[in-house]
Amino acid sequence: MIQYLKRGRTAEVKSDDDAKVRATVEDIIRHIEKDGDDAVREYSRKFDNWDPTDFRLSRDDIAAAHKQLSAREIEDIAFAQKQVRNFAQIQRDSMKDVEVETYPGVVLGHKHIPMNAVGCYIPGGKYPLLASAHMSVLTAKVAGVKRVVSTAPPYQGKPHPAIVTAMDMAGADEILVLGGVQAVVAMAVGTPSVAPVDMLVGPGNMFVAEAKRQLYGRVGIDLFAGPTETLVIADDSVDGQLCAVDLLGQAEHGPTSPAVLLTNSEKLARDTLAEVERQLTILPTAAIARQSWADCGEIIVCDTKEEMLQVADDLAFEHVQVMTEDVDYFLNNMTNYGALFLGPRTNVSFGDKVIGTNHTLPTNRNARYTGGLWVGKFLKTCTYQRVLTDEASATMGEYCSRLCHMENFAGHGEQANIRVRRYGNRPDLPWYEPVAEQA
Ligand SMILES: NC(=O)c1ccc[n+]([C@@H]2O[C@H](COP(=O)([O-])OP(=O)(O)OC[C@H]3O[C@@H](n4cnc5c(N)ncnc54)[C@H](O)[C@@H]3O)[C@@H](O)[C@H]2O)c1
Ligand SMILES: [Zn+2]
């Protein structure tokens, strides 16, 4: 049986919010398409109170940002980037180009081609999320993207030195200080001051995520990476204190970030509920976490691990932290998740900041069809083919001719027929008719 010890707010409230966000974003896109840089500047002033002469940082600005960080801070960023770069490179190396003779005389292949230009959004509204610079910029560079534009909103009224430094250390080619919808639209549509990119990547709040969704098709997007979600799957092998820390640690992202405990232990459920209340009295970011816990937090109690698996797959959450006796049961059987965190020694914060897997992950049940950002998202897998022999050309041509005819494609059919005529030595084949089998 599946019971709720605590429920989040209803889906109707959420869909009402979604409609408002959609309309806001539509307006901003239309306005920037029409008025370019002037509109970008207007929204930057309105939402971020930010109106510099140039949204792009100079080499001097970037050097000045580096100087504001301590040696320790630089080393910490370098450590995290080393882990992310290393794993991204291992993933890149696992992707092989192929070229195979698939039929006598027929050679098919594919190669992975990096995109030419991408725009990386680094969130910075509530927190200066410098880790996103490693996740987006650095991964794009490992993939071989030539032009990587990176942007973050001003933080407390100015460019955040650690974000700028992390972007630069990750290899960004252009650094903008621009936030929200105006930033992603400027990069996607292009303005006189920002050349357009081919794909937008990176997480963001619901405005940023919705803007990427609406721009999809004109540019590529990596995935729908909206407000953070965390699911903790736990049993009596861990305690309520640990579960509460891991729920609130991610609930602090924002007021719409769900944190859910899924357990087969009613005792753990009750202990966690009490611990969450206690920790909310001491957590420095409790103002945000309290609201997200009240609105979106849930505690679900199941009888069996099979039920837990079913609930977890239905939720298809971004982060799934498994702290049960048999963590491999979930690794082997779960099908919908952004990233898994197995066992109590690791946690979502390690993944967010330092361990090396990418933290830009699908939210809003998009994990049903995609994993998170990774080096492969910056590569286009493109096929090619050649036919090496006259015989193979004639054989494919004969089949193709008849298949085209079944679809009423006369022109396609003739593309095949002319090959059969020339390479199959059948000069008398009629035009626009399916090739008959030879007697
Ligand atoms: N899914 C993932 O992989 C992942 C990873 C990390 C962070 N996140 C999420 O990223 C988000 C970061 O959000 P944030 O708000 O701190 O920073 P943000 O940079 O995403 O958004 C700030 C911008 O939002 C715009 N904005 C604010 N209010 C607006 C309004 N009413 N209308 C239009 N635009 C408005 C402003 O221009 C501002 O620059 C969080 O929700 C967090 O959960 C997701
Ligand atoms: Zn997080």
Side-chain angles (χ1 to χ4, degrees), residues 21 24-25 28 43-44 46-48 121-129 132 135 151-155 178-183 202-209 223-229 250 252-257 318-319 352-353 358-364 372-373:
V21 171
T24 305
V25 169
I28 300 176
Y43 288 113
S44 180
K46 174 173 170 188
F47 293 123
D48 294 326
Y121 187 79
I122 314 300
K126 283 180 224 61
Y127 304 94
L129 238 173
S132 287
M135 306 301 171
T151 190
Y155 184 75
L178 196 57
V181 181
Q182 56 277 16
N205 63 14
M206 54 193 152
F207 296 100
V208 171
L223 57 139
F224 189 92
T228 294
E229 308 163 340
Q250 297 300 315
E252 81 178 356
H253 267 286
T256 57
S257 276
E318 179 195 8
H319 303 112
D352 277 353
K353 311 300 175 198
N358 207 293
H359 82 191
T360 302
L361 297 163
T363 59
N364 219 16
L373 184 58

Side-chain angles (χ1 to χ4, degrees), residues 173-191:
D173 299 291
E174 295 169 38
I175 297 179
L176 309 177
V177 183
L178 196 57
V181 181
Q182 56 277 16
V184 290
V185 180
M187 293 191 293
V189 176
T191 70

